[in-house]
Amino acid sequence: MPADPLHRAGKPQRSTTSQPPSGSGASAIEVRRSARRRRTVSAYREGDRTVVLIPARMSEAEEQRWVTVMLDKLAAQESKRCLGDSELAERAARLSDQYFGGRARPSSVRWVTNQNTRWGSCTPAEGSIRLSHRLQGMPEYVVDYVLLHELAHLLVPGHGPRFWRLLEAYPRTERARGYLEGVVAADRLPHLSADDDE
């Protein structure tokens, strides 16, 4: 198996973190410079952060230009991938049919921007499900898990053994939970500045 390019032995990468331009959709931008990277630039979301990987030899002006280009590319990709509320409701209905025999029928399913400490929430009495906008752009199996988690609350309100037995039907439950735990853990890590690396 090839080594993880971000954790290879040798000279550490220089990493800087800054606040993004307004409207970029991320809370911080981390630029990682690598001596091994020659020409390519790439970017990805890591929780609420955007990581941009660039060659070490790039000037500050080139770095700024590429950060802007990569933020635009990520935003374009994510806007194509993001489900609207109606698609989210359709997806919830399909998941309920597949894993719960159609027994969990929410009255509404929608994205919300006011949930920064929870991935989703459910009000069983109303039959409403809300998913955090922070899930947008995450892998489909993760969004499906959170949807199923909230759908299960329509059938079992608490987090007791009956609740977890329902979620055992979804084969990617543990993987999705691990992914979300990793996002939370990454958000708690200290972010390096350029001064820390020199």
Side-chain angles (χ1 to χ4, degrees):
M1 177 189 308
D4 178 351
L6 297 179
H7 299 97
R8 286 188 184 127
K11 185 179 176 188
Q13 301 173 3
R14 195 178 100 207
S15 180
T16 59
T17 302
S18 62
Q19 293 304 310
S22 60
S24 70
S27 62
I29 300 162
E30 180 178 339
V31 177
R32 294 180 185 166
R33 291 176 171 264
S34 170
R36 292 180 184 254
R37 190 174 281 269
R38 297 285 178 224
R39 289 187 286 250
T40 61
V41 175
S42 62
Y44 60 92
R45 302 280 192 217
E46 191 173 79
D48 287 341
R49 225 171 8 143
T50 301
V51 177
V52 181
L53 307 171
I54 64 172
R57 62 173 175 70
M58 270 193 186
S59 69
E60 294 296 319
E62 289 175 307
E63 174 183 318
Q64 288 304 315
R65 185 176 72 80
W66 275 107
V67 165
T68 302
V69 167
M70 297 313 288
L71 286 175
D72 290 345
K73 279 188 174 188
L74 279 176
Q77 289 170 356
E78 289 167 356
S79 68
K80 290 178 189 171
R81 279 197 309 250
C82 290
L83 301 172
D85 289 348
S86 59
E87 292 94 354
L88 199 59
E90 290 170 14
R91 193 167 180 169
R94 280 195 309 272
L95 290 167
S96 176
D97 289 342
Q98 184 175 358
Y99 295 102
F100 302 146
R103 293 179 297 137
R105 288 287 175 211
S107 59
S108 68
V109 182
R110 63 190 174 94
W111 296 107
V112 293
T113 57
N114 63 349
Q115 287 188 160
N116 292 317
T117 58
R118 295 179 175 190
W119 297 115
S121 62
C122 174
T123 307
E126 297 173 4
S128 61
I129 291 175
R130 295 158 305 281
L131 295 191
S132 173
H133 72 286
R134 296 180 308 138
L135 290 165
Q136 293 175 334
M138 288 191 188
E140 285 183 13
Y141 74 91
V142 175
V143 176
D144 285 351
Y145 164 73
V146 176
L147 269 174
L148 281 164
H149 185 107
E150 301 312 329
L151 286 165
H153 279 307
L154 294 176
L155 304 173
V156 180
H159 287 106
R162 280 183 55 225
F163 175 83
W164 293 111
R165 274 195 300 275
L166 280 173
L167 286 178
E168 285 175 3
Y170 184 56
R172 293 179 138 187
T173 290
E174 288 306 313
R175 184 174 179 194
R177 289 185 68 187
Y179 184 98
L180 293 171
E181 287 169 6
V183 170
V184 170
D187 285 347
R188 291 181 181 151
L189 291 174
H191 300 293
L192 293 176
S193 69
D195 296 337
D196 294 337
D197 224 18
E198 294 175 356

